Amino acid sequence: MHFLTQELIQLDAKVNNAKEAIEQAGKLLLDQQLINESYIQAMIDSYEQNGPYFVLAPHIALPHARPEDGAKQAAVSMLQLKKPVPFGHPNNDPVSLVFALAAGSNNEHILVLKKLSTLLGNEEIRYKFMTAKNYEDLQSVIEGD
């Protein structure tokens, strides 16, 4: 599993809207060859067709698509937005953190989601993700030190 490695994190990202945020978070996965390009479009299509159902907590979005949409391996990328953008969620907007999830199977999807929800369930850790200035600020949190 490729989980929030340095190459999969972009801090202080500039985007204009939810679609750009999803694209950039997906591009981090694509650049590491963890997904096919079709996976990014599938995440955007899912957002446009189903709305912001993946904005699961205040300021946090977890876009994803189905394994058959082009996921090669289990992976999570993170985009920390310089300026939060609305995703259209009535309670959890605006979004500051975008975690793009990819999994090669439904079982991997559950494992990735479980690992991420364990981290994000901690208020102190969420704050660190929102305020980190460099990867080293997050490394001990991600690695569980």
Side-chain angles (χ1 to χ4, degrees):
M1 178 186 309
H2 299 267
F3 188 83
L4 299 175
T5 59
Q6 188 168 5
E7 299 79 19
L8 295 174
I9 293 177
Q10 182 179 352
L11 303 174
D12 220 18
K14 296 174 188 168
V15 300
N16 294 309
N17 53 50
K19 182 180 171 186
E20 284 183 18
I22 295 168
E23 285 175 343
Q24 282 196 31
K27 189 167 183 329
L28 293 169
L29 298 172
L30 181 64
D31 289 347
Q32 298 304 310
Q33 302 180 352
L34 299 167
I35 60 170
N36 294 323
E37 196 161 349
S38 61
Y39 194 82
I40 295 173
Q41 189 58 51
M43 289 193 295
I44 292 168
D45 290 348
S46 177
Y47 169 64
E48 291 177 346
Q49 292 167 10
N50 304 313
Y53 71 94
F54 53 74
V55 182
L56 298 177
H59 316 296
I60 299 173
L62 285 74
H64 57 276
R66 296 174 302 180
E68 58 269 28
D69 290 326
K72 295 179 180 177
Q73 298 180 42
V76 178
S77 67
M78 185 195 88
L79 202 64
Q80 176 202 64
L81 302 181
K82 181 176 182 73
K83 182 180 174 191
V85 296
F87 272 61
H89 194 281
N91 302 317
N92 296 331
D93 268 351
V95 168
S96 303
L97 297 173
V98 180
F99 294 89
L101 280 63
S105 69
N106 288 332
N107 286 340
E108 281 185 346
H109 183 85
I110 291 169
L111 289 173
V112 166
L113 203 53
K114 183 177 178 183
K115 187 168 183 172
L116 191 56
S117 64
T118 298
L119 273 180
L120 297 177
N122 182 313
E123 187 174 334
E124 183 178 329
I125 291 174
R126 285 194 311 269
Y127 180 77
K128 285 185 178 181
F129 277 113
M130 289 186 188
T131 60
K133 298 296 180 200
N134 54 55
Y135 178 74
E136 289 72 28
D137 290 345
L138 297 173
Q139 191 171 12
S140 64
V141 171
I142 293 167
E143 294 175 357
D145 293 341

